[in-house]
């Protein structure tokens, strides 16, 4: 089977490594995705276990489509009865660039017509269209008049884990949060028993993804919808086995989670975070409370670990000056209370990161939606002063 996993820009290499670990033998990095081959079991594993992918696509064919008529005929080269029951619901997602067809809605309509016309001509009935959780989802990517036609096995973006119904004021998608934690080295820190703290946790996405990673919880475990469930070639027994294995792994993995703690000054954000944590099945395993950044500190006797946060970074002129004290306060708290810890700050405004007064040991370029961002990684070191004999002294 020819498969393709889509992902946000900047996460491709992480996704290559993840798919290889799941059993893909030849994952190849592409722009905003990874091409790979495998059997249906691997496709199911990717849907269940990928922390970084958006969609898992099963490629059916690729055809020249320099006109609507050519697209229509190309779609009809597929025997859709192998994939879609006439009583099923379908939806078409169409993406086009640098092609004769420039309107995605028109392209989607043409593809839909080709599918339903074929089935109606053959059986006298046709599937209906549903935008909300269709039985079968078709994904078409048209680039330079070449159309790749696929089934979307995920059905809807895999970043939707099922635990977040309401976002805070600046939502961070779940797969991006997982990427931040992966780049910050959270898995190794958690395995060593290190803690995780987020002083501006918002709706709790970083906390939940951290618990999922540390507890060996499949990110798709609590989803109740995938695009393959209504597909005629779906193999329920294979899926059931994989799902039961994931349940067992999470049960074992969550028995000894490290401390995962979130604070926020906004009580509404804390309420939303608590509700998300409950839906994620992490009640009692993640602690959140209202607390000001000015008193942010680790628990007494806490071992070192990771401070990770996505502070506000503003979108208007003048925001930098307004937010600079917040970033400086974060840096002060790190230097005063978290010496020996790792820290990761994700921001869409690198100027604010530079004004923290901490030197990043490494940074990564990522995107939060369309916003270019930087993930800054720090080793929090003690602050020293130099005396008149050129000796380092503690403050």
């Amino acid at each position: 089977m020819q498969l393709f996993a889509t992902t946000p820009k900047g996460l491709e290499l992480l996704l290559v490594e993840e798919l290889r670990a799941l059993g893909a033998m030849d994952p190849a990095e592409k722009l905003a995705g990874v091409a790979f081959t495998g059997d249906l079991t691997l496709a199911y594993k990717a849907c269940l276990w990928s922390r970084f992918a958006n969609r898992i696509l099963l490629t059916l064919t690729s055809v020249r489509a320099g006109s609507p008529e050519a697209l229509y005929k190309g779609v009809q080269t597929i025997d859709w009865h192998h994939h879609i029951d006439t009583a099923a619901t379908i939806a078409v997602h169409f993406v086009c660039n640098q092609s004769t067809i420039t309107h995605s809605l028109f392209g989607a309509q043409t593809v839909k017509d080709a599918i339903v016309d074929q089935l109606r001509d053959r059986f006298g009935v046709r599937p209906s269209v549903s935008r909300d959780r269709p039985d079968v989802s078709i994904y078409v990517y048209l680039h330079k008049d070449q159309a790749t036609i696929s089934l979307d096995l995920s059905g809807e973006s895999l970043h939707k884990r099922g635990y977040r119904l309401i976002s805070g004021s600046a939502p961070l998608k779940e797969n991006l949060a997982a990427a931040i934690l992966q780049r910050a080295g959270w898995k190794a820190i958690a395995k060593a028993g290190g803690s995780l703290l987020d002083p501006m946790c918002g709706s709790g996405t970083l906390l939940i993804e951290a618990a999922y990673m540390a507890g060996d919880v499949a990110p798709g475990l609590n989803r109740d919808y995938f695009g393959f469930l209504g597909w005629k070639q779906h193999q329920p027994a294979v899926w059931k086995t994989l799902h039961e294995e994931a349940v067992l792994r999470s049960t074992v993995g969550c028995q000894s989670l490290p401390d995962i703690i979130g604070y926020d000054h906004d009580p509404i954000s804390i309420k939303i975070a608590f509700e998300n944590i409950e839906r994620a099945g992490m009640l009692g395993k993640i602690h959140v409370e209202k607390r000001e950044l000015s008193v942010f500190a680790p628990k007494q006797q806490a071992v070192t670990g990771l401070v990770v946060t996505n502070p506000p970074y503003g979108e208007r002129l003048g925001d930098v000056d307004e937010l600079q004290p917040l970033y400086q306060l974060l840096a002060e708290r790190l230097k005063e209370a978290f010496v020996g810890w790792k820290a990761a700050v994700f921001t869409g405004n690198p100027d604010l990161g530079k004004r923290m007064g901490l030197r990043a040991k490494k940074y990564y370029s990522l995107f939060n939606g369309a916003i270019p961002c930087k993930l800054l990684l720090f080793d929090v070191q003690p602050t020293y002063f130099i005396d008149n004999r050129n000796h380092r002294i503690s403050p």
Side-chain angles (χ1 to χ4, degrees):
M1 297 169 63
Q2 294 295 319
L3 299 159
F4 190 88
T6 68
T7 192
K9 285 192 296 183
L11 274 58
E12 295 93 344
L13 284 177
L14 290 175
L15 184 55
V16 165
E17 295 167 2
E18 180 182 64
L19 290 171
R20 186 176 288 118
L22 289 173
M25 300 299 293
D26 56 349
E29 179 188 358
K30 305 292 182 181
L31 178 63
V34 175
F36 62 110
T37 57
D39 59 12
L40 187 58
T41 298
L42 176 61
Y44 285 163
K45 281 183 178 179
C47 287
L48 182 60
W49 280 100
S50 180
R51 301 189 191 279
F52 311 123
N54 279 336
R55 298 178 185 274
I56 305 300
L57 307 177
L58 168 59
T59 304
L60 300 179
T61 192
S62 181
V63 298
R64 291 297 298 171
S67 68
E69 295 76 18
L71 176 62
Y72 182 94
K73 289 179 181 178
V75 172
Q76 288 208 326
T77 62
I78 299 167
D79 186 348
W80 290 101
H81 184 56
H82 285 318
H83 304 288
I84 303 170
D85 190 274
T86 53
T89 57
I90 66 170
V92 177
H93 184 75
F94 192 93
V95 177
C96 54
N97 63 67
Q98 301 181 49
S99 297
T100 304
I101 298 172
T102 59
H103 199 290
S104 59
L105 290 178
F106 175 75
Q109 181 71 33
T110 302
V111 173
K112 185 269 297 180
D113 288 345
I115 295 170
V116 301
D117 288 353
Q118 183 192 90
L119 293 171
R120 181 173 51 203
D121 291 346
R122 185 173 176 184
F123 299 103
V125 291
R126 48 153 286 181
S128 56
V129 174
S130 174
R131 294 182 180 178
D132 182 31
R133 297 192 164 189
D135 294 313
V136 178
S137 182
I138 298 97
Y139 190 101
V140 179
Y141 177 59
L142 180 65
H143 177 65
K144 294 184 178 178
D145 290 337
Q146 189 75 23
T148 302
I149 304 165
S150 306
L151 293 178
D152 181 0
L153 300 180
S154 42
E156 61 185 12
S157 181
L158 294 173
H159 84 270
K160 298 178 180 179
R161 319 286 206 219
Y163 62 74
R164 192 172 70 175
L165 301 183
I166 303 173
S167 300
S169 58
L172 188 69
K173 284 187 176 179
E174 292 85 337
N175 52 356
L176 178 56
I180 290 168
L181 292 162
Q182 183 76 2
R183 287 300 193 197
W186 166 237
K187 277 189 176 181
I189 293 169
K191 190 174 182 179
S195 305
L196 181 137
L197 277 73
D198 183 351
M200 292 172 271
C201 69
S203 59
T205 306
L206 281 166
L207 303 174
I208 295 169
E209 292 299 314
Y212 275 8
M213 293 174 76
D216 196 24
V217 180
L221 186 61
N222 295 319
R223 281 172 54 118
D224 59 2
Y225 170 72
F226 288 94
F228 56 74
L229 293 174
W231 177 41
K232 287 184 70 174
Q233 296 184 39
H234 173 45
Q235 297 182 20
V238 175
W239 173 246
K240 184 173 183 286
T241 298
L242 292 172
H243 194 271
E244 288 176 348
E245 179 192 23
V247 171
L248 179 60
R249 285 175 60 173
S250 70
T251 301
V252 173
C254 288
Q255 288 178 353
S256 56
L257 287 176
D259 285 334
I260 298 174
I261 301 168
Y263 303 122
D264 204 286
H265 78 285
D266 178 21
I268 295 176
S269 292
I270 291 296
K271 179 177 182 295
I272 294 171
F274 184 85
E275 292 170 351
N276 289 341
I277 289 165
E278 185 174 22
R279 275 189 294 271
M282 289 292 161
L283 202 60
K285 303 180 187 302
I286 299 172
H287 176 78
V288 290
E289 68 176 76
K290 180 182 179 300
R291 182 176 293 191
E292 297 296 328
L293 180 60
S294 58
V295 293
F296 174 53
K299 290 171 60 177
Q300 287 188 347
Q301 309 303 320
V303 296
T304 58
L306 174 67
V307 175
V308 58
T309 195
N310 173 35
Y313 42 78
E315 297 178 1
R316 301 181 307 274
L317 291 174
D319 283 343
V320 171
D321 292 336
E322 279 186 34
L323 291 171
Q324 182 175 345
L326 178 72
Y327 280 70
Q328 290 176 335
L329 178 58
L330 173 60
E332 288 170 10
R333 295 309 304 147
L334 289 174
K335 289 184 285 188
E336 290 175 9
F338 292 92
V339 171
W341 286 59
K342 306 287 187 182
V345 178
F346 182 71
T347 178
N349 196 321
D351 285 341
L352 286 167
K354 291 176 183 176
R355 298 187 190 188
M356 289 178 65
L358 292 173
R359 183 184 294 273
K361 67 169 185 176
K362 186 177 286 189
Y363 70 87
Y364 293 94
S365 297
L366 298 169
F367 285 82
N368 188 2
I371 303 172
C373 298
K374 288 284 193 296
L375 172 62
L376 308 174
L377 302 181
F378 306 93
D379 288 333
V380 184
Q381 305 287 353
T383 301
Y384 295 100
F385 298 102
I386 305 299
D387 66 13
N388 56 11
R389 290 174 294 177
N390 205 31
H391 292 157
R392 291 196 310 179
I393 58 174
S394 300

